[in-house]
Amino acid sequence: MSAIADVFRHFILTALDHPQGPAVARTFNRTLQFVLTDDEPFYVQIQDGHMEVHPGDSGLDWKYKDWARVTCVHASAQLLRQVIAGRRIMSDAFFDEELAFYPSRAADRNSDITVEGSIVPWLYALVRLALEQGQRTSYQAYVKELGA
Amino acid sequence: MAVESKKPAHLINAESIGRFVGSEAGRETIRRELVECGQVKAGEQALILLDDQAPDGTEQVIEVIVGMLRQMGLGVTVMHTDALLPLAHGGMPGSFASVEKYRLPKAWFQAILAADVVFDYTASGRGAQKYNVDFYTLSSYYGKRIIGRRAVEAPEVMWSEDDPNRPNAEAMLFPGDLLRAIGDRINEKLFATAETQKEFRLTNPWGTDLRFTTLPGDICAPSAGIRRHPRSDQFYGDDSNRLYRGIAGVQVTQTCEGVWVTRFCSLLGGRLSEPITIRYKDGFIAGAEGGPDAKRLLDLIADEPAGVHAILMGINPKATPFRAGEYMLGNDGAGAGVAHIGMGGAGMFYRSGKLGGVGANHFQVGNLPKISWWAGDECICRDGVLLTLQDPAIREKARQYGNPDELLRQFSWPAEV
């Protein structure tokens, strides 16, 4: 597994420690295929609230046969590191054309992918919860260290 | 493009809004917007946004909404400014030129972030969550419940064909779940066509003839974008929360060739001095003919090519897009047999075998009447008549709400349109 895939795995799993994390993760079952411009691809499988990160290509045909099971996430390892570090917001990166999702509209016959609906806000929420949980954990450690 | 702002042209005015809020159907529509689209609950904090670019009379709608929300037990705050997202080049609502990265005042951003539910009645309320980065962030990243509306979803329902002084209650109060079913039935045919990699074709009597292909994952919108009620999930946005303006079609195209002939363009301020013919090649505007408006359109997109962002048809059989026999050029595409094409949209898309943008300046080049739409060999809409309305499955579904013959009877197009 590439370094960025491993870092992202640790990061995104932190979302499950957030009080809202398990419920949010259970919202959809989906494979998110990350295609990176500067590193090896990896994919995230989310099933019934359980998340796994795997290296490489999921093998799913996102264009036709498996379009209702997978969404491609176009990004870079550099961007993901910035997001994880809290220096970039994913939604800003989308408007900066450093992040893209394809196909772009129907997640399946009953739900959307983009701002109109579901999958993209869902991913954003998991990332936001992971960030919040990381901040919460580090603050708790800081308070403990202070002895307050 | 430089940004300049002024009061834009509007399709509705204080008088028509007054009739709307004064009618039983109008008030019921507003109530449904709060309950079924906004999913409001007692104890929540609601924020209402307004700007001076909104149509005269919008305050009347807000007054009613504030009263209803307070009666339902919500706390209400109203914020008013001159231009929340400035409309550039004399454009009208629906045009989002030059505002994709326009930043909201911090106080407004924080106020939206703090509210439980937001009703955006500024001129650009509907669409802001797709075409402006801050609204996109608030909606998608922070998951804020923002109901972006113009004062009404579709101005064509502000009049009835039989009474120009009465809103079109049949269209506004058409059963939402039946519209969802019609949208899903159309989508089944669109998905099948895309999955088998067949071509779509769209024509109308003005001379439009467009051929395009798309990926199944670019068909939109599920259930025609009509609200699901009740619902408890949190990942839904503005365009999946409409009451009666159901639309179906495709987002970005893989191929798109042909011509679009229009008499209206939101980027150019509305009604055109003469019809223009827009040529499409590889999904982008490749040229335009038809006098000074055509030249101005090409001038405005000279810096950034404009690609197809969506091609959508209306599905509401009661949303008559004409008045006294005259086609309303500025209708909002709610009616069956009407189609619009949206140009440009923020972000990158997979199209024509590669990833790229379609131009960040979003605008529309008019709603066309009496369309014919083929999905492969199957005609979904012929000469402005939505054939899906006669589908046995839809007729069966309609029985839950009344007489299928009456519910699914589409308005008749005037010969002169």
Side-chain angles (χ1 to χ4, degrees):
Chain A
M1 185 179 290
S2 66
I4 185 60
D6 197 38
V7 168
F8 192 80
R9 181 174 70 85
H10 280 99
F11 170 73
I12 203 69
L13 288 176
T14 306
L16 295 178
D17 296 331
H18 190 287
Q20 298 169 23
V24 170
R26 279 194 300 271
T27 309
F28 298 105
N29 293 326
R30 195 80 181 168
T31 296
L32 301 170
Q33 174 68 60
F34 283 74
V35 181
L36 305 181
T37 56
D38 56 356
D39 213 321
E40 296 299 310
F42 66 90
Y43 59 100
V44 182
Q45 276 182 328
I46 307 178
Q47 182 78 31
D48 301 328
H50 179 71
M51 290 197 277
E52 290 181 4
V53 178
H54 300 281
D57 190 296
S58 66
L60 294 171
D61 173 15
W62 61 268
K63 279 187 186 173
Y64 294 106
K65 185 167 160 281
D66 302 310
W67 67 271
R69 297 171 58 196
V70 60
T71 298
C72 293
V73 184
H74 167 93
S76 66
Q78 183 187 18
L79 171 65
L80 293 181
R81 288 181 190 280
Q82 289 172 338
V83 166
I84 292 167
R87 292 194 297 270
R88 294 287 297 280
I89 289 184
M90 289 185 101
S91 49
D92 272 357
F94 176 82
F95 268 66
D96 290 337
E97 299 191 352
E98 293 178 42
L99 179 68
F101 304 90
Y102 52 89
S104 57
R105 193 54 198 255
D108 55 42
R109 281 166 164 75
N110 302 307
S111 53
D112 269 348
I113 286 175
T114 59
V115 63
E116 333 297 329
S118 51
I119 299 297
V120 171
W122 177 53
L123 172 61
Y124 289 170
L126 290 170
V127 167
R128 181 168 51 79
L129 295 183
L131 281 166
E132 287 177 10
Q133 183 61 22
Q135 288 161 355
R136 182 183 310 201
T137 305
S138 55
Y139 187 71
Q140 284 170 348
Y142 171 64
V143 170
K144 190 176 177 184
E145 188 182 309
L146 284 177
Chain B
M1 295 188 194
V3 177
E4 58 196 52
S5 181
K6 65 172 187 174
K7 189 84 171 176
H10 281 289
L11 308 168
I12 51 178
N13 53 35
E15 190 185 353
S16 58
I17 289 179
R19 286 197 298 267
F20 171 70
V21 299
S23 70
E24 196 176 319
R27 284 181 176 260
E28 174 61 7
T29 300
I30 292 171
R31 188 199 65 78
R32 289 180 65 210
E33 181 172 306
L34 304 179
V35 174
E36 298 180 23
C37 302
Q39 313 269 338
V40 298
K41 298 175 191 69
E44 289 186 328
Q45 290 295 317
L47 175 64
I48 297 171
L49 311 182
L50 173 66
D51 71 6
D52 289 340
Q53 298 179 126
D56 290 336
T58 302
E59 294 90 343
Q60 297 176 74
V61 178
I62 289 176
E63 192 180 328
V64 172
I65 284 175
V66 169
M68 285 184 178
L69 287 172
R70 289 192 171 141
Q71 204 169 25
M72 293 178 197
L74 285 89
V76 185
T77 302
V78 180
M79 293 180 73
H80 188 166
T81 188
D82 50 355
L84 194 57
L85 293 179
L87 287 158
H89 320 297
M92 46 189 316
S95 169
F96 286 85
S98 304
V99 291
E100 75 274 13
K101 291 192 178 176
Y102 185 86
R103 292 293 182 179
L104 298 181
K106 282 183 183 174
W108 283 70
F109 190 96
Q110 291 300 326
I112 296 170
L113 204 53
D116 295 309
V117 58
V118 178
F119 293 93
D120 184 354
Y121 279 90
T122 63
S124 298
R126 197 177 80 216
Q129 296 164 57
K130 280 180 293 192
Y131 304 120
N132 172 260
V133 63
D134 276 352
F135 271 104
Y136 177 75
T137 291
L138 286 159
S139 168
S140 288
Y141 186 79
Y142 290 108
K144 300 308 297 183
R145 195 173 3 138
I146 304 172
I147 309 302
R149 288 285 178 272
R150 298 159 199 173
V152 289
E153 273 186 30
E156 55 267 39
V157 306
M158 296 297 265
W159 298 272
S160 304
E161 183 63 358
D162 55 350
D163 183 354
N165 293 314
R166 186 172 59 83
N168 184 342
E170 276 190 306
M172 290 192 293
L173 302 178
F174 193 86
D177 288 345
L178 182 54
L179 279 178
R180 287 173 58 85
I182 295 167
D184 285 337
R185 190 73 180 122
I186 294 171
N187 283 348
E188 283 176 27
K189 298 174 191 303
L190 302 184
F191 281 128
T193 303
E195 283 173 333
T196 52
Q197 303 181 48
K198 290 180 180 169
E199 194 174 58
F200 297 95
R201 185 181 180 203
L202 172 64
T203 65
N204 103 315
W206 294 352
T208 291
D209 192 343
L210 214 55
R211 292 171 183 270
F212 49 98
T213 59
T214 194
L215 296 173
D218 285 325
I219 299 297
C220 66
S223 305
I226 297 296
R227 97 289 173 267
R228 187 171 79 242
H229 178 73
R231 67 187 298 174
S232 56
D233 52 309
Q234 57 181 307
F235 299 106
Y236 61 94
D238 188 46
D239 271 5
S240 55
N241 260 312
R242 291 186 296 264
L243 271 183
Y244 56 84
R245 182 178 174 263
I247 48 178
V250 307
Q251 187 155 317
V252 292
T253 56
Q254 292 304 305
T255 61
C256 180
E257 314 280 334
V259 296
W260 183 276
V261 182
T262 184
R263 302 172 186 185
F264 193 91
C265 175
S266 64
L267 181 64
L268 300 175
R271 181 185 288 265
L272 306 176
S273 56
E274 60 183 282
I276 64 175
T277 299
I278 301 169
R279 282 183 285 111
Y280 286 87
K281 185 168 175 52
D282 194 25
F284 280 81
I285 291 179
E289 288 84 35
D293 284 328
K295 182 179 181 310
R296 183 157 176 260
L297 173 64
L298 294 179
D299 286 346
L300 286 172
I301 64 170
D303 294 342
E304 184 171 52
V308 173
H309 188 247
I311 305 173
L312 298 157
M313 71 175 98
I315 68 166
N316 189 320
K318 308 298 184 188
T320 316
F322 45 84
R323 188 165 47 138
E326 185 181 352
Y327 183 61
M328 297 164 64
L329 288 171
N331 78 81
D332 219 350
V338 174
H340 78 272
I341 187 167
M343 305 304 303
M348 285 198 295
F349 306 89
Y350 183 88
R351 52 167 303 284
S352 293
K354 59 182 184 296
L355 203 58
V358 294
N361 293 304
H362 180 79
F363 61 95
Q364 291 159 12
V365 289
N367 280 288
L368 303 183
K370 285 187 176 175
I371 64 151
S372 294
W373 184 307
W374 286 267
D377 298 328
E378 183 168 354
C379 189
I380 293 175
C381 186
R382 188 188 302 280
D383 300 326
V385 177
L386 183 59
L387 303 178
T388 311
L389 296 171
Q390 299 312 317
D391 186 296
I394 296 301
R395 287 186 58 80
E396 187 57 35
K397 175 77 177 175
R399 286 185 210 286
Q400 296 177 21
Y401 308 98
N403 182 341
D405 290 337
E406 291 174 13
L407 272 172
L408 298 172
R409 184 186 304 121
Q410 186 185 334
F411 54 80
S412 299
W413 287 96
E416 56 269 31
V417 170

